[in-house]
Amino acid sequence: MGILDFLSKQFVDVIDWVEEPGQLGWRVPLADREIQNGAQLTVREGQIAAFFNEGRIADMFGPGLYTLDTATLPLLTALMNWDKAFKSPFKSDVYFFSEKEQIGLKWGTAQPVTLRDPELGPLRVRAFGSYSFRIREVAPFASRIMGTLGEVKVTDVEPQLRAAIQTALATGVAGGGTPFLDLAASQSALSDALKAAVAPAFALWGLSVESFFVESLSLPEEVQKHLDKASSMRVLGDLDRYAKFQAAEAIETAAAQSGGVAGIGAGAAAGLAIGQTMAGALGGAASAPAAPAEDAFALIEKLHKLLEMGALTQAEFDAKKAELLGRIR
């Protein structure tokens, strides 16, 4: 290596940054090299370049092509006490920062968050979703996160961001007093509320939350099974409707199995009998007059046919049979 080759490597004539996915900040590796007066600075779209003097931001540049001299570096010129005729190379720390939106990031509750539900009592809730962010202000990001590091990636800040989200979820959801069922029914409103809650924490690091989504809100499996059972009981609570629904399905099945068009009449007749039986036996037994003793056996026979068709369960049949036999004096 010749002396001229060695000397030529001590001065920087071109400064630019071709960023890689996930990079947030990068320090130009100048080492002991100096920046040539009149060097070219290229800042691409979505980037900001910053010149530092003794750890403080002096000059910043948005997208564009710049020639570095005293005119384009006014603050650095003042800090360095350069005169207007400055021509020699100079030293400065140069950093690039990406302002692009970092998308497709996931968040989730490492541990369940306890929610004091006004309807269901204390619940342990898990939540998962996605979010995106970008660098909004270079100064706080540079001082709080970048520091003297040579590079900062999204993976370096994700744990801190997820911790902020977890805190916002615990504070906003657990202390909000909104029932879990209402939260689950309006994930869009919950997403907006959590986005607003995490924004101040992100802003401390010079970041802004661009999007925030709650994709899943769930309870422990045993609690969910209990809610499912309660829902089923509410659905089956109106026995009259349930019985009529089962009877209607039985009629449709019987008609389909009776020979097509030729069996429609028979199916309709069977349906009428089934409907009358179900209405009398299950729909209004509590309010209708008691059936005469001599009709009890005929009614049991009809109920047995419904049992064979699958319109009644064995338990329902046994209960109604016992009730009808109890009417016989």
Side-chain angles (χ1 to χ4, degrees):
M1 179 184 295
I3 187 66
L4 293 178
D5 292 332
F6 175 80
L7 291 176
S8 66
K9 291 188 177 181
Q10 304 310 299
F11 305 108
V12 178
D13 291 324
V14 176
I15 301 175
D16 68 343
W17 178 37
V18 180
E19 63 188 284
E20 298 178 358
Q23 281 186 311
L24 294 175
W26 179 70
R27 182 177 65 186
V28 179
L30 296 176
D32 294 329
R33 296 186 297 170
E34 295 182 335
I35 301 172
Q36 186 71 40
N37 182 57
Q40 298 296 308
L41 170 68
T42 301
V43 184
R44 293 175 172 81
E45 288 295 329
Q47 296 179 353
I48 286 183
F51 285 72
F52 283 69
N53 179 66
E54 297 181 355
R56 297 166 52 196
I57 295 179
D59 296 289
M60 290 198 300
F61 300 85
L65 177 63
Y66 305 89
T67 299
L68 300 179
D69 52 27
T70 55
T72 54
L73 295 165
L75 296 180
L76 192 60
T77 297
L79 292 172
M80 293 288 193
N81 296 314
W82 293 336
D83 57 23
K84 298 299 181 182
F86 169 71
K87 298 294 183 182
S88 62
F90 63 94
K91 287 186 177 182
S92 176
D93 291 325
V94 183
Y95 289 79
F96 281 88
F97 301 93
S98 174
E99 288 191 310
K100 294 178 181 177
E101 183 177 357
Q102 307 297 322
I103 63 174
L105 305 176
K106 300 295 183 180
W107 65 269
T109 50
Q111 298 296 330
V113 176
T114 300
L115 167 68
R116 188 177 297 276
D117 193 285
E119 298 176 357
L120 305 175
L123 297 175
R124 301 181 69 193
V125 179
R126 286 187 177 275
F128 301 92
S130 60
Y131 69 103
S132 67
F133 75 92
R134 72 181 185 90
I135 297 176
R136 174 73 67 176
E137 296 184 40
V138 169
F141 181 84
S143 62
R144 289 176 174 267
I145 296 180
M146 191 77 195
T148 59
L149 297 175
E151 180 185 47
V152 172
K153 295 183 176 181
V154 172
T155 53
D156 298 323
V157 301
E158 272 192 290
Q160 193 74 3
L161 301 182
R162 285 197 293 264
I165 294 172
Q166 173 96 2
T167 301
L169 182 68
T171 304
V173 174
T178 304
F180 170 79
L181 296 179
D182 291 343
L183 291 175
S186 183
Q187 291 186 3
S188 177
L190 180 58
S191 298
D192 293 340
L194 288 177
K195 179 181 178 182
V198 303
F202 278 48
L204 291 176
W205 302 308
L207 308 175
S208 64
V209 188
E210 297 300 304
S211 65
F212 194 96
F213 301 103
V214 176
E215 299 173 2
S216 172
L217 201 63
S218 61
L219 295 172
E221 185 176 354
E222 59 274 14
V223 177
Q224 190 61 56
K225 287 181 178 179
H226 173 75
L227 289 179
D228 291 342
K229 179 180 283 189
S231 298
S232 298
M233 293 301 293
R234 284 192 295 270
V235 170
L236 300 180
D238 190 339
L239 292 178
D240 178 59
R241 289 186 178 182
Y242 179 57
K244 290 177 180 178
F245 171 75
Q246 283 193 318
E249 285 196 330
I251 293 170
E252 183 177 354
T253 302
Q257 294 177 349
S258 60
V261 177
I264 292 180
L272 180 60
I274 291 172
Q276 292 173 343
T277 300
M278 294 299 288
L282 297 177
S287 57
E294 61 271 19
D295 295 334
F297 294 105
L299 192 55
I300 290 174
E301 184 179 356
K302 292 179 180 179
L303 287 173
H304 189 265
K305 291 181 180 179
L306 291 177
L307 174 65
E308 292 178 341
M309 294 171 59
L312 287 178
T313 65
Q314 185 66 49
E316 291 171 332
F317 171 76
D318 291 341
K320 295 310 298 182
K321 177 181 176 181
E323 178 186 340
L324 292 170
L325 290 177
R327 296 177 185 176
I328 301 175
R329 297 290 186 266

